Every structure is written in structure tokens, then in C-alpha cells.
Amino acid sequence: MGYVPVEERLRILGEQLFHTSGVSTWCFGTGFEFFASTSSIEDDLLDILEKNGCLAYVRKRGFASCSRPVFYRDFLGLCWFIEGLYDRNNEGKQFPRLLLLVGPMLESRISSEELDSRLRSRPGIDSGSISRLKNELKTIPVVHRELMDQYGVLLHYMLTEEGIHPWDFIYPEESLSLPQEPEALPDRTREARQILQEEEVLGAIRDGNEHYLQVAESGRLSRLIDTGNSLRDEKDSLIAFTVLCFRAAVEGGVSSAGARQAQADMLARIEACPDTEAVGRMTHTMLKTCTDLVRARRDEEGVSPIVRTSCDYIRANAKRPITVADVAAAVGYTEYYFTKKFYKETGVRLKDYIKKTRVELAKIALTVTGDSVEEISASLQFGNRNYFSRVFREETGMTPMEYRQKRNFQGERKNDGHQ
């Protein structure tokens, strides 16, 4: 298939998103003049776009702030992706041509009472608009966060023909909290101290040390989002900070493949937290995971790039039924030669390294999820519970259930029966 003009790619994207999931696409000019959308409630959502800070973000920051997908959550809980389309002149200089939006989407349906409260909290929305919007916003599609991320990846590809990962998205501070009255703004000293705490944590992750534990104990790490839904707000705060932490891990030497898989798992666990206490525990788990990834990478620095690549491959695919032969093939070697090379450089047999990696993932699952031992065993390709328990005991000195009890996991847990 030959080259497809970007306008045609965007038209196809718009039609596919609208007809498969009900998600709309929007097009604006560089002067923020509205061109077109696929929305069935275009006029009302245009009004929201003028009042929710979404377009104001681009006006304030400029088109350059949208060179990657911007994930924006507005005061109604509606989620949008924003990105600019650029052209190049004869001298190769980039200049903006269009502004594209994908949305709105909801991560979960909100109650009529909550929606009414959010609408009435905003100046400039009259009672007639509130009544109309309450009905029309019921048609906004609910989309799982992982699927939203794929829409952002797809938007960037359609605009640039370049691949991107969700941790490369931009998460503007404007989308993380509701605008407040001047007297309700946070104290600047406290805010500055909080920013310093976050930077110390990110620095600790880049270094692969455990200094983050001291910082984490001194206060909340991420800025609070305040929409009135405490659980949703805690999750969104941690999600935003998690993206920064995994980016810091990549800056600390962790491969993109390894970080991508670990981040996807962590975001799913955050989303599954049943209450704010579980979100708090997940904060420490996320920080430890990022730091451990960097430390493991530093431990591997004495080995060849091929062996490091194989370790990254194992971490990224530990939940799949990979074999020693698969790992060797992934780095372009025969099984016989590579197993000898791996053992010579690491002092660990390749098949044992696969088991160790899976046990590390099992320890996290036992700590932060309510999955049964059988479910964890199956998800990590151990085959059966007895074999999993035996391998786990060899690595940790205790059974999976003993480890879980020692970690004192407080969430709702399925019945595991015997150890």
C-alpha cells in the first residue's frame, strides 16, 4: 500500500473510533477556530471545550506543548487526547497546521447527583445547559484506561507515522485538579516542598537506591486531585506519578521494554485497588518496583549487551509461556551457544533466571493482589500449584501463603485453602 495522506489517515481514524466505540474526534485550526468533529452533540461539547480548560491549555502553552499526545481530564471527569499536526517548510522547519482532539471518554460512569454537583460548581453554565448536558453526557462512552492509551498511541501514529508508548504522553497539571477560588489555592511553600519531595523520589529511582522510603514516609508524594470522589482522585494522582516514576527508571538505565511491561501491570493494579488504603500501599509497591528495576539493571552492567537484552526479554515476557529456546532465538543465538554464554557471564543458568524472574513477579502479586495462589501460578506459567510452591520455597525459604501472610496483605483475598 502506497503513502496515505495524513488527512485521509485522520478521516479513517475518526470514523473507526466513532463507529466502534462512540469516541469522537475534533479538528481545530492554529487560531483555535473549529473545523469539524464526528460528535453527535457537537454544539454542547464545544461549549464544554471552551470552559473545561482543554483548549485553554494549548492557548497558554502553545502548540509546541502538544508535540506528543496530551492526556487531559476535565472537571466533569471527561478524558481527552490533544495533539498538534505539524508541517515542514522547504528549509525543514516545523510549523503547526491543525490541533486534533480525541474524546470525550469516561473511565467509569458517574452518578446523576455527582454530575449535577460538578456542573453547578462551574461558573458560566446556566440551569438550562445543566439539564441538557446531564442527559447528553449519559451518551459519552466508558472506555477502559488501557484502551484509552491505545487511542493516544494511534492518534500519534496517524499524525506522525511514529510509534510511541503511553509513558511518553503529557499529563498537564491543569487536568489534575479543579480550578479553585483564590483563597483556596494551596500554600506556595507547601507546594514547593512537595515538588522537592517528588524530585528527591525520582532522583532516588534514577540512582536505584532506597532513599525514596524516607521521603515517602514524610508526606504524600503526588499532588492531590480533588473532584469529590476520593478513591478516583487517589488513583488518578498515583497513576500520574507512576508514569513519572517509570520514566525515571528508564532514565536510570531500565530498558523501554522492561519498563513498559512493568508499568502496564502497575497501572492495572492501581485501577483494581478497592479503597484508598489499598492505593496508599500500592504507592510504596510502585516505588519499590521502579527502584528494584534500576538496581537489577545496574547489577547487569558487567554483562554483555546481548545478555542484558535477553534479561529484558525475559522480564517483558515472563507472563507468557517462553522457553530457553525462545530467549536464545530472540537475541539471535542458538540455544546451545547462548545458554553457555549466559551462564558464563551471570553465573546463573538461563532457565533458573526465568524462574527467578517469575518468582519476583509472584511476590508482588501475593503482596498487592487478592488473586489466589493457583491464579498467580497459572498467570506466571508455573503449570500447577505444587510446582509453583516448590520453586517459590527454593527462592524465598517460605511457601507463597507464608510469604503473603508475612507481607500482611489486607485486601480482599480469595480462599487459597492449603499451603
Side-chain angles (χ1 to χ4, degrees), residues 360-394:
E360 288 304 310
L361 291 175
K363 287 161 67 176
I364 295 173
L366 288 165
T367 303
V368 303
T369 77
D371 294 347
S372 68
V373 172
E374 284 86 353
E375 288 171 329
I376 295 171
S377 172
S379 70
L380 291 168
Q381 307 299 321
F382 280 102
N384 61 71
R385 177 182 177 130
N386 289 337
Y387 176 65
F388 171 52
S389 295
R390 179 163 59 83
V391 171
F392 194 91
R393 183 191 286 272
E394 289 173 355

PDB file of all heavy atoms in Angstrom, residues 360-394:
ATOM      1  N   GLU A 360       9.867 -13.280  41.390  1.00  0.00           N
ATOM      2  CA  GLU A 360       9.817 -11.869  41.783  1.00  0.00           C
ATOM      3  C   GLU A 360       8.456 -11.261  41.451  1.00  0.00           C
ATOM      4  O   GLU A 360       7.895 -10.497  42.240  1.00  0.00           O
ATOM      5  CB  GLU A 360      10.935 -11.080  41.086  1.00  0.00           C
ATOM      6  CG  GLU A 360      12.320 -11.378  41.620  1.00  0.00           C
ATOM      7  CD  GLU A 360      12.430 -11.138  43.121  1.00  0.00           C
ATOM      8  OE1 GLU A 360      12.030 -10.057  43.579  1.00  0.00           O
ATOM      9  OE2 GLU A 360      12.909 -12.036  43.833  1.00  0.00           O
ATOM     10  N   LEU A 361       7.915 -11.609  40.288  1.00  0.00           N
ATOM     11  CA  LEU A 361       6.581 -11.119  39.920  1.00  0.00           C
ATOM     12  C   LEU A 361       5.520 -11.729  40.829  1.00  0.00           C
ATOM     13  O   LEU A 361       4.546 -11.066  41.193  1.00  0.00           O
ATOM     14  CB  LEU A 361       6.285 -11.448  38.460  1.00  0.00           C
ATOM     15  CG  LEU A 361       7.111 -10.692  37.423  1.00  0.00           C
ATOM     16  CD1 LEU A 361       6.794 -11.206  36.020  1.00  0.00           C
ATOM     17  CD2 LEU A 361       6.833  -9.199  37.491  1.00  0.00           C
ATOM     18  N   ALA A 362       5.708 -12.992  41.208  1.00  0.00           N
ATOM     19  CA  ALA A 362       4.758 -13.652  42.105  1.00  0.00           C
ATOM     20  C   ALA A 362       4.749 -12.978  43.470  1.00  0.00           C
ATOM     21  O   ALA A 362       3.691 -12.816  44.091  1.00  0.00           O
ATOM     22  CB  ALA A 362       5.114 -15.126  42.245  1.00  0.00           C
ATOM     23  N   LYS A 363       5.916 -12.553  43.953  1.00  0.00           N
ATOM     24  CA  LYS A 363       5.992 -11.874  45.253  1.00  0.00           C
ATOM     25  C   LYS A 363       5.185 -10.579  45.233  1.00  0.00           C
ATOM     26  O   LYS A 363       4.485 -10.257  46.197  1.00  0.00           O
ATOM     27  CB  LYS A 363       7.466 -11.601  45.592  1.00  0.00           C
ATOM     28  CG  LYS A 363       8.236 -12.857  45.993  1.00  0.00           C
ATOM     29  CD  LYS A 363       9.733 -12.678  45.878  1.00  0.00           C
ATOM     30  CE  LYS A 363      10.290 -11.699  46.867  1.00  0.00           C
ATOM     31  NZ  LYS A 363      11.766 -11.621  46.789  1.00  0.00           N
ATOM     32  N   ILE A 364       5.263  -9.866  44.131  1.00  0.00           N
ATOM     33  CA  ILE A 364       4.476  -8.632  44.016  1.00  0.00           C
ATOM     34  C   ILE A 364       2.989  -8.963  43.998  1.00  0.00           C
ATOM     35  O   ILE A 364       2.185  -8.333  44.687  1.00  0.00           O
ATOM     36  CB  ILE A 364       4.868  -7.858  42.745  1.00  0.00           C
ATOM     37  CG1 ILE A 364       6.317  -7.373  42.851  1.00  0.00           C
ATOM     38  CG2 ILE A 364       3.928  -6.677  42.521  1.00  0.00           C
ATOM     39  CD1 ILE A 364       6.850  -6.740  41.592  1.00  0.00           C
ATOM     40  N   ALA A 365       2.608  -9.970  43.202  1.00  0.00           N
ATOM     41  CA  ALA A 365       1.190 -10.339  43.100  1.00  0.00           C
ATOM     42  C   ALA A 365       0.644 -10.808  44.447  1.00  0.00           C
ATOM     43  O   ALA A 365      -0.494 -10.490  44.812  1.00  0.00           O
ATOM     44  CB  ALA A 365       1.017 -11.427  42.045  1.00  0.00           C
ATOM     45  N   LEU A 366       1.438 -11.554  45.188  1.00  0.00           N
ATOM     46  CA  LEU A 366       1.000 -12.029  46.504  1.00  0.00           C
ATOM     47  C   LEU A 366       0.821 -10.872  47.482  1.00  0.00           C
ATOM     48  O   LEU A 366      -0.010 -10.933  48.389  1.00  0.00           O
ATOM     49  CB  LEU A 366       2.022 -13.027  47.067  1.00  0.00           C
ATOM     50  CG  LEU A 366       2.052 -14.399  46.389  1.00  0.00           C
ATOM     51  CD1 LEU A 366       3.324 -15.151  46.776  1.00  0.00           C
ATOM     52  CD2 LEU A 366       0.824 -15.222  46.765  1.00  0.00           C
ATOM     53  N   THR A 367       1.591  -9.819  47.284  1.00  0.00           N
ATOM     54  CA  THR A 367       1.542  -8.680  48.203  1.00  0.00           C
ATOM     55  C   THR A 367       0.399  -7.735  47.892  1.00  0.00           C
ATOM     56  O   THR A 367      -0.270  -7.238  48.802  1.00  0.00           O
ATOM     57  CB  THR A 367       2.872  -7.909  48.160  1.00  0.00           C
ATOM     58  OG1 THR A 367       3.945  -8.803  48.479  1.00  0.00           O
ATOM     59  CG2 THR A 367       2.874  -6.752  49.150  1.00  0.00           C
ATOM     60  N   VAL A 368       0.158  -7.465  46.616  1.00  0.00           N
ATOM     61  CA  VAL A 368      -0.746  -6.361  46.271  1.00  0.00           C
ATOM     62  C   VAL A 368      -2.045  -6.786  45.602  1.00  0.00           C
ATOM     63  O   VAL A 368      -2.889  -5.933  45.325  1.00  0.00           O
ATOM     64  CB  VAL A 368      -0.031  -5.338  45.365  1.00  0.00           C
ATOM     65  CG1 VAL A 368       1.209  -4.809  46.026  1.00  0.00           C
ATOM     66  CG2 VAL A 368       0.305  -5.949  44.005  1.00  0.00           C
ATOM     67  N   THR A 369      -2.233  -8.077  45.325  1.00  0.00           N
ATOM     68  CA  THR A 369      -3.498  -8.501  44.732  1.00  0.00           C
ATOM     69  C   THR A 369      -4.185  -9.506  45.656  1.00  0.00           C
ATOM     70  O   THR A 369      -3.590 -10.038  46.584  1.00  0.00           O
ATOM     71  CB  THR A 369      -3.298  -9.169  43.357  1.00  0.00           C
ATOM     72  OG1 THR A 369      -2.819 -10.512  43.523  1.00  0.00           O
ATOM     73  CG2 THR A 369      -2.315  -8.388  42.505  1.00  0.00           C
ATOM     74  N   GLY A 370      -5.449  -9.751  45.356  1.00  0.00           N
ATOM     75  CA  GLY A 370      -6.196 -10.768  46.082  1.00  0.00           C
ATOM     76  C   GLY A 370      -6.286 -12.063  45.307  1.00  0.00           C
ATOM     77  O   GLY A 370      -7.095 -12.930  45.638  1.00  0.00           O
ATOM     78  N   ASP A 371      -5.479 -12.209  44.252  1.00  0.00           N
ATOM     79  CA  ASP A 371      -5.521 -13.426  43.443  1.00  0.00           C
ATOM     80  C   ASP A 371      -5.089 -14.635  44.268  1.00  0.00           C
ATOM     81  O   ASP A 371      -4.196 -14.537  45.125  1.00  0.00           O
ATOM     82  CB  ASP A 371      -4.597 -13.291  42.227  1.00  0.00           C
ATOM     83  CG  ASP A 371      -5.079 -12.228  41.254  1.00  0.00           C
ATOM     84  OD1 ASP A 371      -6.227 -11.782  41.404  1.00  0.00           O
ATOM     85  OD2 ASP A 371      -4.300 -11.855  40.354  1.00  0.00           O
ATOM     86  N   SER A 372      -5.711 -15.762  44.000  1.00  0.00           N
ATOM     87  CA  SER A 372      -5.348 -16.987  44.702  1.00  0.00           C
ATOM     88  C   SER A 372      -3.979 -17.471  44.231  1.00  0.00           C
ATOM     89  O   SER A 372      -3.474 -17.058  43.181  1.00  0.00           O
ATOM     90  CB  SER A 372      -6.391 -18.076  44.437  1.00  0.00           C
ATOM     91  OG  SER A 372      -6.344 -18.485  43.080  1.00  0.00           O
ATOM     92  N   VAL A 373      -3.376 -18.369  45.012  1.00  0.00           N
ATOM     93  CA  VAL A 373      -2.083 -18.931  44.637  1.00  0.00           C
ATOM     94  C   VAL A 373      -2.189 -19.657  43.296  1.00  0.00           C
ATOM     95  O   VAL A 373      -1.290 -19.567  42.453  1.00  0.00           O
ATOM     96  CB  VAL A 373      -1.561 -19.882  45.739  1.00  0.00           C
ATOM     97  CG1 VAL A 373      -0.314 -20.628  45.268  1.00  0.00           C
ATOM     98  CG2 VAL A 373      -1.256 -19.100  47.010  1.00  0.00           C
ATOM     99  N   GLU A 374      -3.296 -20.355  43.083  1.00  0.00           N
ATOM    100  CA  GLU A 374      -3.486 -21.053  41.808  1.00  0.00           C
ATOM    101  C   GLU A 374      -3.510 -20.070  40.638  1.00  0.00           C
ATOM    102  O   GLU A 374      -2.920 -20.324  39.577  1.00  0.00           O
ATOM    103  CB  GLU A 374      -4.793 -21.855  41.824  1.00  0.00           C
ATOM    104  CG  GLU A 374      -4.745 -23.138  42.630  1.00  0.00           C
ATOM    105  CD  GLU A 374      -5.067 -22.889  44.112  1.00  0.00           C
ATOM    106  OE1 GLU A 374      -5.199 -21.704  44.510  1.00  0.00           O
ATOM    107  OE2 GLU A 374      -5.174 -23.881  44.857  1.00  0.00           O
ATOM    108  N   GLU A 375      -4.196 -18.942  40.823  1.00  0.00           N
ATOM    109  CA  GLU A 375      -4.288 -17.953  39.750  1.00  0.00           C
ATOM    110  C   GLU A 375      -2.929 -17.327  39.455  1.00  0.00           C
ATOM    111  O   GLU A 375      -2.561 -17.125  38.295  1.00  0.00           O
ATOM    112  CB  GLU A 375      -5.299 -16.869  40.131  1.00  0.00           C
ATOM    113  CG  GLU A 375      -6.745 -17.357  40.087  1.00  0.00           C
ATOM    114  CD  GLU A 375      -7.721 -16.353  40.675  1.00  0.00           C
ATOM    115  OE1 GLU A 375      -7.328 -15.605  41.606  1.00  0.00           O
ATOM    116  OE2 GLU A 375      -8.864 -16.304  40.215  1.00  0.00           O
ATOM    117  N   ILE A 376      -2.176 -17.032  40.502  1.00  0.00           N
ATOM    118  CA  ILE A 376      -0.845 -16.449  40.311  1.00  0.00           C
ATOM    119  C   ILE A 376       0.070 -17.458  39.635  1.00  0.00           C
ATOM    120  O   ILE A 376       0.818 -17.118  38.711  1.00  0.00           O
ATOM    121  CB  ILE A 376      -0.258 -15.988  41.655  1.00  0.00           C
ATOM    122  CG1 ILE A 376      -1.108 -14.843  42.222  1.00  0.00           C
ATOM    123  CG2 ILE A 376       1.197 -15.558  41.498  1.00  0.00           C
ATOM    124  CD1 ILE A 376      -0.745 -14.455  43.642  1.00  0.00           C
ATOM    125  N   SER A 377      -0.012 -18.706  40.064  1.00  0.00           N
ATOM    126  CA  SER A 377       0.795 -19.769  39.464  1.00  0.00           C
ATOM    127  C   SER A 377       0.498 -19.900  37.972  1.00  0.00           C
ATOM    128  O   SER A 377       1.407 -19.968  37.143  1.00  0.00           O
ATOM    129  CB  SER A 377       0.516 -21.095  40.170  1.00  0.00           C
ATOM    130  OG  SER A 377       1.142 -22.161  39.496  1.00  0.00           O
ATOM    131  N   ALA A 378      -0.786 -19.888  37.627  1.00  0.00           N
ATOM    132  CA  ALA A 378      -1.174 -20.041  36.220  1.00  0.00           C
ATOM    133  C   ALA A 378      -0.745 -18.834  35.396  1.00  0.00           C
ATOM    134  O   ALA A 378      -0.255 -18.979  34.269  1.00  0.00           O
ATOM    135  CB  ALA A 378      -2.682 -20.240  36.115  1.00  0.00           C
ATOM    136  N   SER A 379      -0.899 -17.621  35.953  1.00  0.00           N
ATOM    137  CA  SER A 379      -0.564 -16.410  35.201  1.00  0.00           C
ATOM    138  C   SER A 379       0.925 -16.307  34.909  1.00  0.00           C
ATOM    139  O   SER A 379       1.328 -15.677  33.942  1.00  0.00           O
ATOM    140  CB  SER A 379      -1.027 -15.168  35.965  1.00  0.00           C
ATOM    141  OG  SER A 379      -0.235 -14.960  37.126  1.00  0.00           O
ATOM    142  N   LEU A 380       1.743 -16.958  35.741  1.00  0.00           N
ATOM    143  CA  LEU A 380       3.196 -16.911  35.566  1.00  0.00           C
ATOM    144  C   LEU A 380       3.760 -18.204  34.987  1.00  0.00           C
ATOM    145  O   LEU A 380       4.962 -18.460  35.065  1.00  0.00           O
ATOM    146  CB  LEU A 380       3.865 -16.586  36.906  1.00  0.00           C
ATOM    147  CG  LEU A 380       3.614 -15.159  37.397  1.00  0.00           C
ATOM    148  CD1 LEU A 380       4.042 -14.992  38.842  1.00  0.00           C
ATOM    149  CD2 LEU A 380       4.332 -14.161  36.507  1.00  0.00           C
ATOM    150  N   GLN A 381       2.878 -19.014  34.428  1.00  0.00           N
ATOM    151  CA  GLN A 381       3.277 -20.188  33.642  1.00  0.00           C
ATOM    152  C   GLN A 381       4.001 -21.265  34.449  1.00  0.00           C
ATOM    153  O   GLN A 381       4.861 -21.964  33.927  1.00  0.00           O
ATOM    154  CB  GLN A 381       4.167 -19.746  32.459  1.00  0.00           C
ATOM    155  CG  GLN A 381       3.577 -18.660  31.600  1.00  0.00           C
ATOM    156  CD  GLN A 381       2.274 -19.067  30.941  1.00  0.00           C
ATOM    157  OE1 GLN A 381       2.130 -20.211  30.504  1.00  0.00           O
ATOM    158  NE2 GLN A 381       1.321 -18.145  30.875  1.00  0.00           N
ATOM    159  N   PHE A 382       3.634 -21.411  35.747  1.00  0.00           N
ATOM    160  CA  PHE A 382       4.263 -22.463  36.551  1.00  0.00           C
ATOM    161  C   PHE A 382       3.597 -23.825  36.355  1.00  0.00           C
ATOM    162  O   PHE A 382       4.117 -24.840  36.815  1.00  0.00           O
ATOM    163  CB  PHE A 382       4.252 -22.080  38.031  1.00  0.00           C
ATOM    164  CG  PHE A 382       5.350 -21.124  38.405  1.00  0.00           C
ATOM    165  CD1 PHE A 382       5.092 -19.782  38.580  1.00  0.00           C
ATOM    166  CD2 PHE A 382       6.653 -21.575  38.557  1.00  0.00           C
ATOM    167  CE1 PHE A 382       6.100 -18.888  38.923  1.00  0.00           C
ATOM    168  CE2 PHE A 382       7.670 -20.702  38.899  1.00  0.00           C
ATOM    169  CZ  PHE A 382       7.393 -19.354  39.079  1.00  0.00           C
ATOM    170  N   GLY A 383       2.448 -23.842  35.740  1.00  0.00           N
ATOM    171  CA  GLY A 383       1.812 -25.115  35.433  1.00  0.00           C
ATOM    172  C   GLY A 383       0.857 -25.581  36.500  1.00  0.00           C
ATOM    173  O   GLY A 383      -0.322 -25.779  36.258  1.00  0.00           O
ATOM    174  N   ASN A 384       1.339 -25.789  37.724  1.00  0.00           N
ATOM    175  CA  ASN A 384       0.454 -26.211  38.803  1.00  0.00           C
ATOM    176  C   ASN A 384       0.947 -25.637  40.125  1.00  0.00           C
ATOM    177  O   ASN A 384       2.090 -25.203  40.254  1.00  0.00           O
ATOM    178  CB  ASN A 384       0.361 -27.747  38.890  1.00  0.00           C
ATOM    179  CG  ASN A 384       1.699 -28.392  39.176  1.00  0.00           C
ATOM    180  OD1 ASN A 384       2.232 -28.288  40.278  1.00  0.00           O
ATOM    181  ND2 ASN A 384       2.260 -29.077  38.172  1.00  0.00           N
ATOM    182  N   ARG A 385       0.067 -25.677  41.119  1.00  0.00           N
ATOM    183  CA  ARG A 385       0.354 -25.045  42.409  1.00  0.00           C
ATOM    184  C   ARG A 385       1.526 -25.714  43.126  1.00  0.00           C
ATOM    185  O   ARG A 385       2.366 -25.039  43.731  1.00  0.00           O
ATOM    186  CB  ARG A 385      -0.896 -25.094  43.280  1.00  0.00           C
ATOM    187  CG  ARG A 385      -0.676 -24.518  44.665  1.00  0.00           C
ATOM    188  CD  ARG A 385      -1.939 -24.642  45.500  1.00  0.00           C
ATOM    189  NE  ARG A 385      -1.685 -24.153  46.853  1.00  0.00           N
ATOM    190  CZ  ARG A 385      -2.447 -23.276  47.487  1.00  0.00           C
ATOM    191  NH1 ARG A 385      -3.516 -22.796  46.905  1.00  0.00           N
ATOM    192  NH2 ARG A 385      -2.150 -22.880  48.717  1.00  0.00           N
ATOM    193  N   ASN A 386       1.604 -27.030  43.076  1.00  0.00           N
ATOM    194  CA  ASN A 386       2.659 -27.735  43.802  1.00  0.00           C
ATOM    195  C   ASN A 386       4.048 -27.346  43.288  1.00  0.00           C
ATOM    196  O   ASN A 386       4.979 -27.099  44.070  1.00  0.00           O
ATOM    197  CB  ASN A 386       2.462 -29.241  43.691  1.00  0.00           C
ATOM    198  CG  ASN A 386       1.267 -29.718  44.490  1.00  0.00           C
ATOM    199  OD1 ASN A 386       0.829 -29.057  45.432  1.00  0.00           O
ATOM    200  ND2 ASN A 386       0.710 -30.861  44.112  1.00  0.00           N
ATOM    201  N   TYR A 387       4.175 -27.297  41.954  1.00  0.00           N
ATOM    202  CA  TYR A 387       5.459 -26.915  41.375  1.00  0.00           C
ATOM    203  C   TYR A 387       5.788 -25.466  41.711  1.00  0.00           C
ATOM    204  O   TYR A 387       6.926 -25.126  42.081  1.00  0.00           O
ATOM    205  CB  TYR A 387       5.437 -27.109  39.863  1.00  0.00           C
ATOM    206  CG  TYR A 387       6.700 -26.655  39.174  1.00  0.00           C
ATOM    207  CD1 TYR A 387       7.917 -27.295  39.410  1.00  0.00           C
ATOM    208  CD2 TYR A 387       6.684 -25.571  38.289  1.00  0.00           C
ATOM    209  CE1 TYR A 387       9.082 -26.884  38.789  1.00  0.00           C
ATOM    210  CE2 TYR A 387       7.849 -25.148  37.665  1.00  0.00           C
ATOM    211  CZ  TYR A 387       9.043 -25.806  37.919  1.00  0.00           C
ATOM    212  OH  TYR A 387      10.198 -25.381  37.308  1.00  0.00           O
ATOM    213  N   PHE A 388       4.792 -24.589  41.618  1.00  0.00           N
ATOM    214  CA  PHE A 388       4.982 -23.181  41.959  1.00  0.00           C
ATOM    215  C   PHE A 388       5.440 -23.037  43.407  1.00  0.00           C
ATOM    216  O   PHE A 388       6.387 -22.305  43.704  1.00  0.00           O
ATOM    217  CB  PHE A 388       3.669 -22.428  41.721  1.00  0.00           C
ATOM    218  CG  PHE A 388       3.676 -21.012  42.236  1.00  0.00           C
ATOM    219  CD1 PHE A 388       4.681 -20.113  41.891  1.00  0.00           C
ATOM    220  CD2 PHE A 388       2.661 -20.573  43.074  1.00  0.00           C
ATOM    221  CE1 PHE A 388       4.667 -18.812  42.370  1.00  0.00           C
ATOM    222  CE2 PHE A 388       2.647 -19.273  43.558  1.00  0.00           C
ATOM    223  CZ  PHE A 388       3.652 -18.389  43.196  1.00  0.00           C
ATOM    224  N   SER A 389       4.779 -23.740  44.317  1.00  0.00           N
ATOM    225  CA  SER A 389       5.124 -23.639  45.737  1.00  0.00           C
ATOM    226  C   SER A 389       6.545 -24.130  45.986  1.00  0.00           C
ATOM    227  O   SER A 389       7.278 -23.557  46.799  1.00  0.00           O
ATOM    228  CB  SER A 389       4.125 -24.440  46.577  1.00  0.00           C
ATOM    229  OG  SER A 389       2.835 -23.876  46.482  1.00  0.00           O
ATOM    230  N   ARG A 390       6.927 -25.204  45.298  1.00  0.00           N
ATOM    231  CA  ARG A 390       8.272 -25.746  45.486  1.00  0.00           C
ATOM    232  C   ARG A 390       9.333 -24.753  45.002  1.00  0.00           C
ATOM    233  O   ARG A 390      10.328 -24.483  45.696  1.00  0.00           O
ATOM    234  CB  ARG A 390       8.407 -27.072  44.735  1.00  0.00           C
ATOM    235  CG  ARG A 390       9.799 -27.696  44.847  1.00  0.00           C
ATOM    236  CD  ARG A 390       9.772 -29.162  44.469  1.00  0.00           C
ATOM    237  NE  ARG A 390       9.300 -29.381  43.119  1.00  0.00           N
ATOM    238  CZ  ARG A 390      10.071 -29.284  42.020  1.00  0.00           C
ATOM    239  NH1 ARG A 390      11.352 -28.962  42.150  1.00  0.00           N
ATOM    240  NH2 ARG A 390       9.579 -29.519  40.836  1.00  0.00           N
ATOM    241  N   VAL A 391       9.123 -24.179  43.804  1.00  0.00           N
ATOM    242  CA  VAL A 391      10.077 -23.203  43.265  1.00  0.00           C
ATOM    243  C   VAL A 391      10.119 -21.964  44.152  1.00  0.00           C
ATOM    244  O   VAL A 391      11.198 -21.429  44.447  1.00  0.00           O
ATOM    245  CB  VAL A 391       9.691 -22.828  41.817  1.00  0.00           C
ATOM    246  CG1 VAL A 391      10.550 -21.659  41.325  1.00  0.00           C
ATOM    247  CG2 VAL A 391       9.847 -24.025  40.887  1.00  0.00           C
ATOM    248  N   PHE A 392       8.946 -21.510  44.598  1.00  0.00           N
ATOM    249  CA  PHE A 392       8.872 -20.311  45.431  1.00  0.00           C
ATOM    250  C   PHE A 392       9.617 -20.527  46.748  1.00  0.00           C
ATOM    251  O   PHE A 392      10.343 -19.643  47.212  1.00  0.00           O
ATOM    252  CB  PHE A 392       7.404 -19.973  45.702  1.00  0.00           C
ATOM    253  CG  PHE A 392       7.195 -18.594  46.259  1.00  0.00           C
ATOM    254  CD1 PHE A 392       6.980 -17.519  45.422  1.00  0.00           C
ATOM    255  CD2 PHE A 392       7.224 -18.364  47.627  1.00  0.00           C
ATOM    256  CE1 PHE A 392       6.788 -16.236  45.927  1.00  0.00           C
ATOM    257  CE2 PHE A 392       7.033 -17.098  48.150  1.00  0.00           C
ATOM    258  CZ  PHE A 392       6.824 -16.031  47.291  1.00  0.00           C
ATOM    259  N   ARG A 393       9.459 -21.722  47.349  1.00  0.00           N
ATOM    260  CA  ARG A 393      10.150 -22.018  48.610  1.00  0.00           C
ATOM    261  C   ARG A 393      11.663 -22.059  48.396  1.00  0.00           C
ATOM    262  O   ARG A 393      12.437 -21.598  49.245  1.00  0.00           O
ATOM    263  CB  ARG A 393       9.652 -23.343  49.185  1.00  0.00           C
ATOM    264  CG  ARG A 393      10.271 -23.676  50.545  1.00  0.00           C
ATOM    265  CD  ARG A 393       9.952 -25.110  50.951  1.00  0.00           C
ATOM    266  NE  ARG A 393       8.581 -25.260  51.369  1.00  0.00           N
ATOM    267  CZ  ARG A 393       8.146 -25.067  52.619  1.00  0.00           C
ATOM    268  NH1 ARG A 393       8.992 -24.688  53.560  1.00  0.00           N
ATOM    269  NH2 ARG A 393       6.890 -25.244  52.927  1.00  0.00           N
ATOM    270  N   GLU A 394      12.093 -22.607  47.257  1.00  0.00           N
ATOM    271  CA  GLU A 394      13.524 -22.664  46.967  1.00  0.00           C
ATOM    272  C   GLU A 394      14.131 -21.271  46.872  1.00  0.00           C
ATOM    273  O   GLU A 394      15.270 -21.047  47.290  1.00  0.00           O
ATOM    274  CB  GLU A 394      13.755 -23.415  45.645  1.00  0.00           C
ATOM    275  CG  GLU A 394      13.483 -24.908  45.732  1.00  0.00           C
ATOM    276  CD  GLU A 394      13.550 -25.584  44.367  1.00  0.00           C
ATOM    277  OE1 GLU A 394      13.709 -24.857  43.348  1.00  0.00           O
ATOM    278  OE2 GLU A 394      13.426 -26.814  44.298  1.00  0.00           O
TER     279      GLU A 394
END
